[in-house]
Amino acid sequence: MIFPPDRIEKQISCVDQAWELLNFKLPQFNSIFSIWHDWFCETVEDSDVQMVITDALIVSYARMALRNGTLSVNPRSYHSEKHIDDLLYRLIAVSNMSESRGVTDYGWSLLSLFMSGHDLRQSEKNNDSVLIGDNEQASFQEMVRILDAVDGQRIVRNEHRELLKLMIHGSTFGKGEDTEGNIYQGNLVKYLLKNVGYFEESDKQLAYLACDIDTANVAADLTDYAQSSINVYNEIQNISQNKLSAQTFFGEMQEQYFFELQSFNSRIGLLAFDFQKQENSPKIQLISQKIKSLDKGLSNKTVVDYYLSQIKLMS
């Protein structure tokens, strides 16, 4: 399915327009950009690669802020440019691990593009008849157009674009099945790899790592995890026609996400994040059980306040 450029993509069509928007309306971007850019230029020394990845990240960030984030007329609580900030910080932290020394320059480059661009589109029609989410397909297509605009020399080669495609398509997350009856839980990387034989094991690990970093909120400080879960809930409430009760979300749905759907599938991701997730696990389990046992007539605000009180008690 083809997802054409939307109004935001046309409005921010080049890196100069992206910088103009960010410098004028979102100057706080310079903080995270400086941290990421310093790290990236120390990690990946090729100046041509630096320029292409930097330009693509800037365009992605500006569009995310304008379409879904701080500068949007309909801002999202979770899928905003602040989500990119969190992921870039996680990426840099992962790179400092000794186990990450074998990651290639193109690996760090594609991971940076994934962090900034895999959630570019969030309002596409949900087509339940296909395995890969429409948002993920549209986000990858937009990222390809960004690369076409900033990468005239094809620094990001076709095989690397295919790996980025696996990362972004593979970040489709949930629980369901396609028309052929394939039941999936969590992200889709391993299901997509069943029908693809041309990726090296190291590249498969990069795709797994991308998705591990994306869902590593489960390994955050408990207070930070709670805030991210509240942001997700608020976003669902703002965009969904069918309102979701806070008791259902912070009770059984939180349990499902934390214990059934989310997992770390890369070697590096497991080492980076799994210990802290295990530290959080009994606390989240207990809080979810308590919320499920609350009176069904409580308001959503009361449930959220109770959730926060329990998080504070266990932090």
Side-chain angles (χ1 to χ4, degrees):
M1 186 171 181
I2 304 299
F3 297 88
D6 66 356
R7 178 180 60 85
I8 299 300
E9 189 169 343
K10 294 174 182 177
Q11 186 173 343
I12 307 294
S13 62
C14 65
V15 69
D16 288 343
Q17 290 174 333
W19 268 125
E20 183 179 3
L21 176 78
L22 293 170
N23 285 331
F24 182 64
K25 293 191 174 181
L26 202 68
Q28 58 267 39
F29 165 69
N30 284 293
S31 176
I32 180 62
F33 174 72
S34 295
I35 292 170
W36 171 81
H37 192 252
D38 288 348
W39 164 80
F40 188 67
C41 290
E42 290 176 2
T43 305
V44 178
E45 297 182 355
D46 189 308
S47 59
D48 290 334
V49 174
Q50 291 173 7
M51 183 173 295
V52 167
I53 303 303
T54 298
D55 285 353
L57 183 140
I58 290 165
V59 173
S60 299
Y61 198 100
R63 289 182 185 174
M64 190 75 157
L66 190 58
R67 183 184 286 130
N68 299 321
T70 304
L71 305 180
S72 173
V73 295
N74 296 302
R76 290 175 176 264
S77 301
Y78 184 78
H79 289 106
S80 69
E81 81 281 357
K82 295 176 184 177
H83 183 49
I84 299 178
D85 294 348
D86 290 340
L87 299 190
L88 291 177
Y89 282 126
R90 288 178 200 162
L91 176 62
I92 294 170
V94 163
S95 76
N96 290 325
M97 298 171 56
S98 60
E99 291 81 5
S100 298
R101 290 173 185 163
V103 175
T104 59
D105 285 0
Y106 75 78
W108 296 122
S109 299
L110 296 181
L111 286 168
S112 293
L113 292 181
F114 173 88
M115 302 311 155
S116 66
H118 77 284
D119 282 330
L120 276 168
R121 297 292 190 100
Q122 289 298 311
S123 301
E124 307 306 323
K125 176 180 173 294
N126 291 319
N127 186 349
D128 294 332
S129 66
V130 297
L131 203 60
I132 301 164
D134 284 353
N135 287 335
E136 288 75 18
Q137 292 185 63
S139 294
F140 174 70
Q141 290 177 26
E142 182 170 339
M143 180 55 75
V144 168
R145 291 191 292 269
I146 291 173
L147 287 173
D148 287 343
V150 304
D151 188 13
Q153 296 182 342
R154 301 289 287 192
I155 299 295
V156 181
R157 303 196 302 266
N158 287 339
E159 59 265 35
H160 294 156
R161 292 182 181 213
E162 283 299 305
L163 179 52
L164 182 61
K165 181 180 180 179
L166 175 64
M167 290 177 174
I168 295 178
H169 282 186
S171 69
T172 303
F173 190 91
K175 180 178 182 180
E177 61 183 88
D178 65 3
T179 54
E180 298 178 350
N182 293 309
I183 299 173
Y184 63 92
Q185 288 189 320
N187 70 65
L188 282 184
V189 174
K190 65 180 177 181
Y191 296 92
L192 298 180
L193 284 172
K194 288 180 179 179
N195 299 317
V196 177
Y198 50 77
F199 287 112
E200 299 289 340
E201 179 59 30
S202 58
D203 288 344
K204 294 177 184 178
Q205 286 293 315
L206 285 172
Y208 285 128
L209 179 58
C211 294
D212 285 350
I213 293 174
D214 187 29
T215 61
N217 62 332
V218 296
D221 174 86
L222 203 60
T223 302
D224 291 337
Y225 167 77
Q227 187 57 60
S228 72
S229 64
I230 290 172
N231 289 342
V232 172
Y233 176 69
N234 288 339
E235 182 170 313
I236 292 172
Q237 291 295 84
N238 289 336
I239 66 175
S240 177
Q241 293 181 346
N242 300 316
K243 299 304 180 184
L244 178 67
S245 78
Q247 190 170 18
T248 297
F249 181 84
F250 294 102
E252 60 191 70
M253 290 182 68
Q254 178 170 234
E255 276 187 326
Q256 185 182 70
Y257 168 69
F258 202 100
F259 299 103
E260 296 178 26
L261 302 183
Q262 196 283 331
S263 63
F264 297 116
N265 296 299
S266 69
R267 290 187 294 270
I268 294 174
L270 194 67
L271 289 168
F273 303 118
D274 193 59
F275 177 81
Q276 188 56 49
K277 179 184 178 179
Q278 298 308 318
E279 290 284 299
N280 289 339
S281 291
K283 299 173 184 178
I284 295 299
Q285 183 74 69
L286 180 58
I287 292 171
S288 298
Q289 291 293 331
K290 286 184 175 181
I291 288 176
K292 288 197 296 185
S293 67
L294 291 173
D295 187 288
K296 303 297 182 185
L298 293 176
S299 69
N300 289 336
K301 182 180 183 307
T302 300
V303 173
V304 172
D305 289 344
Y306 177 80
Y307 173 60
L308 285 172
S309 72
Q310 292 300 302
I311 290 290
K312 184 176 181 180
L313 197 62
M314 300 208 178
S315 297

PDB file of all heavy atoms in Angstrom, residues 1 3 124-137 172 177-179 184:
ATOM      1  N   MET A   1       0.845  -1.191   0.000  1.00  0.00           N
ATOM      2  CA  MET A   1       0.000   0.000   0.000  1.00  0.00           C
ATOM      3  C   MET A   1       0.884   1.247   0.000  1.00  0.00           C
ATOM      4  O   MET A   1       1.898   1.304   0.697  1.00  0.00           O
ATOM      5  CB  MET A   1      -0.919   0.003   1.226  1.00  0.00           C
ATOM      6  CG  MET A   1      -1.942   1.121   1.237  1.00  0.00           C
ATOM      7  SD  MET A   1      -3.152   0.906   2.567  1.00  0.00           S
ATOM      8  CE  MET A   1      -4.200   2.315   2.280  1.00  0.00           C
ATOM      9  N   PHE A   3       1.522   5.188   0.790  1.00  0.00           N
ATOM     10  CA  PHE A   3       1.098   6.277   1.673  1.00  0.00           C
ATOM     11  C   PHE A   3       1.777   7.555   1.195  1.00  0.00           C
ATOM     12  O   PHE A   3       2.969   7.758   1.431  1.00  0.00           O
ATOM     13  CB  PHE A   3       1.476   5.962   3.120  1.00  0.00           C
ATOM     14  CG  PHE A   3       0.804   4.740   3.675  1.00  0.00           C
ATOM     15  CD1 PHE A   3       1.382   3.487   3.514  1.00  0.00           C
ATOM     16  CD2 PHE A   3      -0.408   4.835   4.343  1.00  0.00           C
ATOM     17  CE1 PHE A   3       0.758   2.350   4.011  1.00  0.00           C
ATOM     18  CE2 PHE A   3      -1.032   3.709   4.846  1.00  0.00           C
ATOM     19  CZ  PHE A   3      -0.456   2.460   4.677  1.00  0.00           C
ATOM     20  N   GLU A 124      -2.561   6.569  10.465  1.00  0.00           N
ATOM     21  CA  GLU A 124      -2.999   5.837   9.284  1.00  0.00           C
ATOM     22  C   GLU A 124      -4.078   4.831   9.660  1.00  0.00           C
ATOM     23  O   GLU A 124      -4.196   4.404  10.806  1.00  0.00           O
ATOM     24  CB  GLU A 124      -1.817   5.135   8.622  1.00  0.00           C
ATOM     25  CG  GLU A 124      -0.642   6.035   8.305  1.00  0.00           C
ATOM     26  CD  GLU A 124      -1.021   7.232   7.476  1.00  0.00           C
ATOM     27  OE1 GLU A 124      -1.895   7.101   6.593  1.00  0.00           O
ATOM     28  OE2 GLU A 124      -0.446   8.322   7.701  1.00  0.00           O
ATOM     29  N   LYS A 125      -4.832   4.435   8.651  1.00  0.00           N
ATOM     30  CA  LYS A 125      -5.897   3.456   8.855  1.00  0.00           C
ATOM     31  C   LYS A 125      -5.301   2.132   9.324  1.00  0.00           C
ATOM     32  O   LYS A 125      -4.320   1.662   8.769  1.00  0.00           O
ATOM     33  CB  LYS A 125      -6.654   3.245   7.550  1.00  0.00           C
ATOM     34  CG  LYS A 125      -7.727   2.169   7.598  1.00  0.00           C
ATOM     35  CD  LYS A 125      -8.407   2.045   6.245  1.00  0.00           C
ATOM     36  CE  LYS A 125      -9.369   0.871   6.216  1.00  0.00           C
ATOM     37  NZ  LYS A 125      -8.700  -0.418   6.328  1.00  0.00           N
ATOM     38  N   ASN A 126      -5.888   1.553  10.352  1.00  0.00           N
ATOM     39  CA  ASN A 126      -5.421   0.262  10.848  1.00  0.00           C
ATOM     40  C   ASN A 126      -6.037  -0.852  10.029  1.00  0.00           C
ATOM     41  O   ASN A 126      -7.240  -1.109  10.102  1.00  0.00           O
ATOM     42  CB  ASN A 126      -5.769   0.094  12.331  1.00  0.00           C
ATOM     43  CG  ASN A 126      -4.957   1.024  13.202  1.00  0.00           C
ATOM     44  OD1 ASN A 126      -3.770   1.207  12.976  1.00  0.00           O
ATOM     45  ND2 ASN A 126      -5.586   1.623  14.194  1.00  0.00           N
ATOM     46  N   ASN A 127      -5.225  -1.519   9.227  1.00  0.00           N
ATOM     47  CA  ASN A 127      -5.682  -2.605   8.366  1.00  0.00           C
ATOM     48  C   ASN A 127      -5.378  -3.926   9.051  1.00  0.00           C
ATOM     49  O   ASN A 127      -4.240  -4.398   9.040  1.00  0.00           O
ATOM     50  CB  ASN A 127      -4.984  -2.526   7.006  1.00  0.00           C
ATOM     51  CG  ASN A 127      -5.532  -3.533   6.023  1.00  0.00           C
ATOM     52  OD1 ASN A 127      -6.288  -4.423   6.384  1.00  0.00           O
ATOM     53  ND2 ASN A 127      -5.150  -3.388   4.769  1.00  0.00           N
ATOM     54  N   ASP A 128      -6.372  -4.522   9.656  1.00  0.00           N
ATOM     55  CA  ASP A 128      -6.160  -5.733  10.437  1.00  0.00           C
ATOM     56  C   ASP A 128      -5.890  -6.967   9.578  1.00  0.00           C
ATOM     57  O   ASP A 128      -5.582  -8.032  10.098  1.00  0.00           O
ATOM     58  CB  ASP A 128      -7.374  -6.011  11.338  1.00  0.00           C
ATOM     59  CG  ASP A 128      -7.537  -4.944  12.417  1.00  0.00           C
ATOM     60  OD1 ASP A 128      -6.513  -4.363  12.807  1.00  0.00           O
ATOM     61  OD2 ASP A 128      -8.669  -4.698  12.851  1.00  0.00           O
ATOM     62  N   SER A 129      -6.014  -6.832   8.260  1.00  0.00           N
ATOM     63  CA  SER A 129      -5.830  -7.997   7.392  1.00  0.00           C
ATOM     64  C   SER A 129      -4.371  -8.232   7.026  1.00  0.00           C
ATOM     65  O   SER A 129      -4.045  -9.224   6.383  1.00  0.00           O
ATOM     66  CB  SER A 129      -6.659  -7.833   6.108  1.00  0.00           C
ATOM     67  OG  SER A 129      -6.171  -6.749   5.334  1.00  0.00           O
ATOM     68  N   VAL A 130      -3.483  -7.318   7.409  1.00  0.00           N
ATOM     69  CA  VAL A 130      -2.070  -7.495   7.124  1.00  0.00           C
ATOM     70  C   VAL A 130      -1.284  -7.499   8.423  1.00  0.00           C
ATOM     71  O   VAL A 130      -1.714  -6.937   9.434  1.00  0.00           O
ATOM     72  CB  VAL A 130      -1.533  -6.400   6.181  1.00  0.00           C
ATOM     73  CG1 VAL A 130      -2.215  -6.477   4.834  1.00  0.00           C
ATOM     74  CG2 VAL A 130      -1.715  -5.017   6.785  1.00  0.00           C
ATOM     75  N   LEU A 131      -0.127  -8.129   8.350  1.00  0.00           N
ATOM     76  CA  LEU A 131       0.685  -8.267   9.554  1.00  0.00           C
ATOM     77  C   LEU A 131       1.356  -6.952   9.932  1.00  0.00           C
ATOM     78  O   LEU A 131       1.368  -6.559  11.099  1.00  0.00           O
ATOM     79  CB  LEU A 131       1.733  -9.363   9.308  1.00  0.00           C
ATOM     80  CG  LEU A 131       2.324 -10.055  10.533  1.00  0.00           C
ATOM     81  CD1 LEU A 131       1.233 -10.744  11.343  1.00  0.00           C
ATOM     82  CD2 LEU A 131       3.369 -11.087  10.097  1.00  0.00           C
ATOM     83  N   ILE A 132       1.923  -6.259   8.955  1.00  0.00           N
ATOM     84  CA  ILE A 132       2.668  -5.030   9.222  1.00  0.00           C
ATOM     85  C   ILE A 132       1.697  -3.862   9.362  1.00  0.00           C
ATOM     86  O   ILE A 132       0.822  -3.667   8.518  1.00  0.00           O
ATOM     87  CB  ILE A 132       3.666  -4.750   8.087  1.00  0.00           C
ATOM     88  CG1 ILE A 132       4.646  -5.913   7.952  1.00  0.00           C
ATOM     89  CG2 ILE A 132       4.420  -3.453   8.335  1.00  0.00           C
ATOM     90  CD1 ILE A 132       5.405  -5.927   6.644  1.00  0.00           C
ATOM     91  N   GLY A 133       1.857  -3.075  10.406  1.00  0.00           N
ATOM     92  CA  GLY A 133       0.955  -1.966  10.660  1.00  0.00           C
ATOM     93  C   GLY A 133       1.038  -0.883   9.602  1.00  0.00           C
ATOM     94  O   GLY A 133       2.103  -0.628   9.019  1.00  0.00           O
ATOM     95  N   ASP A 134      -0.083  -0.227   9.337  1.00  0.00           N
ATOM     96  CA  ASP A 134      -0.097   0.863   8.368  1.00  0.00           C
ATOM     97  C   ASP A 134       0.787   2.027   8.811  1.00  0.00           C
ATOM     98  O   ASP A 134       1.443   2.667   7.986  1.00  0.00           O
ATOM     99  CB  ASP A 134      -1.534   1.357   8.159  1.00  0.00           C
ATOM    100  CG  ASP A 134      -2.346   0.400   7.297  1.00  0.00           C
ATOM    101  OD1 ASP A 134      -1.754  -0.557   6.772  1.00  0.00           O
ATOM    102  OD2 ASP A 134      -3.558   0.603   7.156  1.00  0.00           O
ATOM    103  N   ASN A 135       0.798   2.316  10.102  1.00  0.00           N
ATOM    104  CA  ASN A 135       1.658   3.389  10.597  1.00  0.00           C
ATOM    105  C   ASN A 135       3.124   3.094  10.301  1.00  0.00           C
ATOM    106  O   ASN A 135       3.892   3.990   9.915  1.00  0.00           O
ATOM    107  CB  ASN A 135       1.473   3.585  12.102  1.00  0.00           C
ATOM    108  CG  ASN A 135       0.160   4.246  12.450  1.00  0.00           C
ATOM    109  OD1 ASN A 135      -0.415   4.968  11.646  1.00  0.00           O
ATOM    110  ND2 ASN A 135      -0.338   3.994  13.652  1.00  0.00           N
ATOM    111  N   GLU A 136       3.517   1.845  10.496  1.00  0.00           N
ATOM    112  CA  GLU A 136       4.907   1.458  10.266  1.00  0.00           C
ATOM    113  C   GLU A 136       5.251   1.486   8.779  1.00  0.00           C
ATOM    114  O   GLU A 136       6.347   1.922   8.387  1.00  0.00           O
ATOM    115  CB  GLU A 136       5.168   0.081  10.869  1.00  0.00           C
ATOM    116  CG  GLU A 136       5.206   0.051  12.390  1.00  0.00           C
ATOM    117  CD  GLU A 136       3.830   0.168  13.045  1.00  0.00           C
ATOM    118  OE1 GLU A 136       2.804  -0.072  12.355  1.00  0.00           O
ATOM    119  OE2 GLU A 136       3.768   0.489  14.249  1.00  0.00           O
ATOM    120  N   GLN A 137       4.328   1.022   7.941  1.00  0.00           N
ATOM    121  CA  GLN A 137       4.566   1.090   6.499  1.00  0.00           C
ATOM    122  C   GLN A 137       4.695   2.540   6.037  1.00  0.00           C
ATOM    123  O   GLN A 137       5.595   2.891   5.271  1.00  0.00           O
ATOM    124  CB  GLN A 137       3.421   0.410   5.744  1.00  0.00           C
ATOM    125  CG  GLN A 137       3.349  -1.090   5.942  1.00  0.00           C
ATOM    126  CD  GLN A 137       2.269  -1.711   5.071  1.00  0.00           C
ATOM    127  OE1 GLN A 137       2.327  -1.657   3.850  1.00  0.00           O
ATOM    128  NE2 GLN A 137       1.273  -2.305   5.707  1.00  0.00           N
ATOM    129  N   THR A 172       6.165  -2.926  14.458  1.00  0.00           N
ATOM    130  CA  THR A 172       4.727  -3.162  14.647  1.00  0.00           C
ATOM    131  C   THR A 172       4.562  -3.984  15.912  1.00  0.00           C
ATOM    132  O   THR A 172       5.178  -5.029  16.075  1.00  0.00           O
ATOM    133  CB  THR A 172       4.141  -3.935  13.445  1.00  0.00           C
ATOM    134  OG1 THR A 172       4.396  -3.216  12.250  1.00  0.00           O
ATOM    135  CG2 THR A 172       2.643  -4.126  13.619  1.00  0.00           C
ATOM    136  N   GLU A 177      -3.317 -11.512  14.566  1.00  0.00           N
ATOM    137  CA  GLU A 177      -2.925 -12.466  13.542  1.00  0.00           C
ATOM    138  C   GLU A 177      -3.250 -11.901  12.166  1.00  0.00           C
ATOM    139  O   GLU A 177      -4.093 -11.018  12.011  1.00  0.00           O
ATOM    140  CB  GLU A 177      -3.625 -13.804  13.739  1.00  0.00           C
ATOM    141  CG  GLU A 177      -5.139 -13.767  13.660  1.00  0.00           C
ATOM    142  CD  GLU A 177      -5.738 -15.150  13.934  1.00  0.00           C
ATOM    143  OE1 GLU A 177      -5.974 -15.455  15.098  1.00  0.00           O
ATOM    144  OE2 GLU A 177      -5.941 -15.888  12.966  1.00  0.00           O
ATOM    145  N   ASP A 178      -2.522 -12.411  11.153  1.00  0.00           N
ATOM    146  CA  ASP A 178      -2.766 -11.943   9.799  1.00  0.00           C
ATOM    147  C   ASP A 178      -3.759 -12.864   9.095  1.00  0.00           C
ATOM    148  O   ASP A 178      -4.334 -13.761   9.699  1.00  0.00           O
ATOM    149  CB  ASP A 178      -1.453 -11.835   9.021  1.00  0.00           C
ATOM    150  CG  ASP A 178      -0.793 -13.196   8.801  1.00  0.00           C
ATOM    151  OD1 ASP A 178      -1.383 -14.216   9.193  1.00  0.00           O
ATOM    152  OD2 ASP A 178       0.299 -13.223   8.229  1.00  0.00           O
ATOM    153  N   THR A 179      -3.939 -12.621   7.814  1.00  0.00           N
ATOM    154  CA  THR A 179      -4.947 -13.388   7.066  1.00  0.00           C
ATOM    155  C   THR A 179      -4.573 -14.860   6.933  1.00  0.00           C
ATOM    156  O   THR A 179      -5.431 -15.692   6.665  1.00  0.00           O
ATOM    157  CB  THR A 179      -5.121 -12.789   5.659  1.00  0.00           C
ATOM    158  OG1 THR A 179      -3.836 -12.710   5.025  1.00  0.00           O
ATOM    159  CG2 THR A 179      -5.742 -11.413   5.727  1.00  0.00           C
ATOM    160  N   TYR A 184       0.893 -13.261  16.328  1.00  0.00           N
ATOM    161  CA  TYR A 184       2.116 -12.606  16.782  1.00  0.00           C
ATOM    162  C   TYR A 184       1.880 -11.948  18.135  1.00  0.00           C
ATOM    163  O   TYR A 184       0.773 -11.540  18.466  1.00  0.00           O
ATOM    164  CB  TYR A 184       2.603 -11.582  15.761  1.00  0.00           C
ATOM    165  CG  TYR A 184       1.670 -10.423  15.504  1.00  0.00           C
ATOM    166  CD1 TYR A 184       1.781  -9.232  16.217  1.00  0.00           C
ATOM    167  CD2 TYR A 184       0.675 -10.516  14.532  1.00  0.00           C
ATOM    168  CE1 TYR A 184       0.926  -8.172  15.977  1.00  0.00           C
ATOM    169  CE2 TYR A 184      -0.181  -9.450  14.281  1.00  0.00           C
ATOM    170  CZ  TYR A 184      -0.048  -8.286  15.009  1.00  0.00           C
ATOM    171  OH  TYR A 184      -0.894  -7.231  14.766  1.00  0.00           O
TER     172      TYR A 184
END
